[in-house]
Amino acid sequence: MKQTQYDVLVIGAGPAGSVMARDVARLGHTVLLIEKRARIGYPVRCGEASTTLDQLENTYGPIAPECIETVLNGLFVYGPGGINLDVTRPNVGVMLNREKFDPWLAHLAEADGAEVVVNARAESVSEVENGFRTVSIVMPTGTEKIKAKMIVAADGIESRIGRLLGIKCLHRPGTTCTGVDIQVEGILTKPDYLTFWQGHDFINDGYIWSFPKVKSNVTNFGAGFLVSSKQDSDIQTVALEWLKKLYPEAKVKSVVGGLVPVSGNLKDCVRERFLMIGDAAHHTNPLTGGGIASAMRGGQIGAAIIHEGFMAGDLSEKFLRRFETTCMKRFGNEHKKIMKFRRFLLGQNRPSQIALYKLIKAYLEGGQRIKVFLKKPCTTVSFILKFLRFR
Amino acid sequence: MKILVHNRERCLECAGCVGICPFLALDMYGLDLQIDHDKCTRCGLCICACPAGALRIEKGKAP
């Protein structure tokens, strides 16, 4: 560390942390970004699919072409009872290469003036004293104490820092997914489509995916289910079984895994001079488990609010609460609705689930117009009523 | 006595167990999972969450 005191200390150099560090540095504050791993972006803990390039670039600016593996033009879902959904939509998303994307983001933060240190693990965060919080940082060379006016925890699924400060950010079974991503040589499914298997007997509480990374000629084949005590075997075994069943010839290159919060935005994620972003604040889409875009958006919103706070000389808990409300407005409310849909879909019995899939299929085949629903008025109305009554 | 045991060969280094442990009994540095056997209640939640089946409860003694 070059200094012992910074305006902002960001813990964790994933997409959320790096974007936060870059934006805060650009606004003229001194920033230290620490990462506990030796190499940023490695090991990857992600299926690597993200929203449209336009959406990423509108919020963030141009994304380096080497980070983008594939531009996606649709989704294909192998649903229950043989009802398959084919959604053709040009530019519906991109496949990223997180091993390149994460270091690239951190590098941009560095270029804009943030100091980036790897192999540095935040062990504890103190209470506020004279306008500073002190973080003890463990490095191979020893422990250092760094003072900062504002601490940002972007420590992902671990969310240890928030919990040490008494925030209820625990990932609970039922609202957390466990997932594994098997990198397979070659492209298994349609090269510009995301392919999913959902609603089959024992993959009801989640889905199996096959995402093509065209540039590297690799497919991310994975599975993610809600964490529950009912499972008889771990998800890696289940995913490998499915891979063998669907693509017996597939050659496995490597396996990565991780947990995904699918609970909707954490309502309480700030304290005086402390704020949480990204997976640590549960900023993920509760249906798909995707969190890259919302993590980056959260980082940007946080940076703007911290800047406002510095200008106003107010970094109290009360002031920082506007971070929570802004995140809620920008993507949290949408995530809430999506979560209700997920719970609704998983809560249906099999015949009802198949009927719902049939309805969606008719909608997609009828040119994705609301009018199509009028052809099946009874089913439509019954599902709308069921959904409205669903709590 | 039964204790939580970590299998480094199966571990994917995702640190999911750290995030789901309700008792803050786990912490991870690289492949080193630190288990605080005093805090661990052997509830088994981390075992359900682990994507790789790298955690088990076995007979043994806390170091």
Side-chain angles (χ1 to χ4, degrees), chain A residues 36-37 45 121 163 178 236, chain B residues 14 18 21 28-29 49 51:
Chain A
K36 73 168 186 176
R37 292 174 192 262
R45 301 184 282 182
R121 181 172 56 81
R163 283 197 277 159
T178 174
Q236 186 179 357
Chain B
C14 76
V18 180
C21 175
M28 187 172 239
Y29 330 127

Side-chain angles (χ1 to χ4, degrees), chain A residues 1-12:
Chain A
M1 261 60 93
K2 286 178 194 149
Q3 304 165 43
T4 55
Q5 194 177 313
Y6 292 83
D7 291 336
V8 182
L9 195 162
V10 183
I11 300 162

Side-chain angles (χ1 to χ4, degrees), chain A residues 128-258:
Chain A
V128 181
E129 280 163 35
N130 305 325
F132 284 96
R133 279 187 191 265
T134 311
V135 181
S136 46
I137 299 174
V138 180
M139 290 187 298
T141 48
T143 306
E144 275 193 46
K145 292 212 184 283
I146 300 290
K147 281 168 110 186
K149 290 178 190 156
M150 181 74 207
I151 311 288
V152 178
D155 54 344
I157 192 76
E158 284 113 303
S159 358
R160 274 189 93 251
I161 306 298
R163 283 197 277 159
L164 288 174
L165 290 177
I167 297 178
K168 290 193 177 118
C169 53
L170 180 68
H171 300 277
R172 291 172 194 282
T175 56
T176 308
C177 262
T178 174
V180 69
D181 188 70
I182 304 165
Q183 317 221 316
V184 180
E185 265 174 45
I187 304 296
L188 300 180
T189 39
K190 250 183 156 181
D192 60 339
Y193 265 55
L194 297 179
T195 307
F196 300 92
W197 287 261
Q198 201 277 323
H200 301 259
D201 283 334
F202 69 110
I203 43 172
N204 190 46
D205 283 357
Y207 60 84
I208 287 183
W209 67 79
S210 167
F211 297 167
K213 283 165 78 179
V214 172
K215 266 189 208 165
S216 320
N217 195 30
V218 164
T219 301
N220 284 356
F221 183 92
F225 303 173
L226 289 176
V227 174
S228 78
S229 48
K230 282 181 284 177
Q231 289 148 225
D232 354 308
S233 64
D234 59 87
I235 187 105
Q236 186 179 357
T237 313
V238 173
L240 283 167
E241 272 168 18
W242 270 80
L243 181 66
K244 219 174 162 193
K245 202 159 88 183
L246 292 166
Y247 303 99
E249 310 276 285
K251 255 195 207 154
V252 176
K253 274 183 85 179
S254 62
V255 181
V256 298

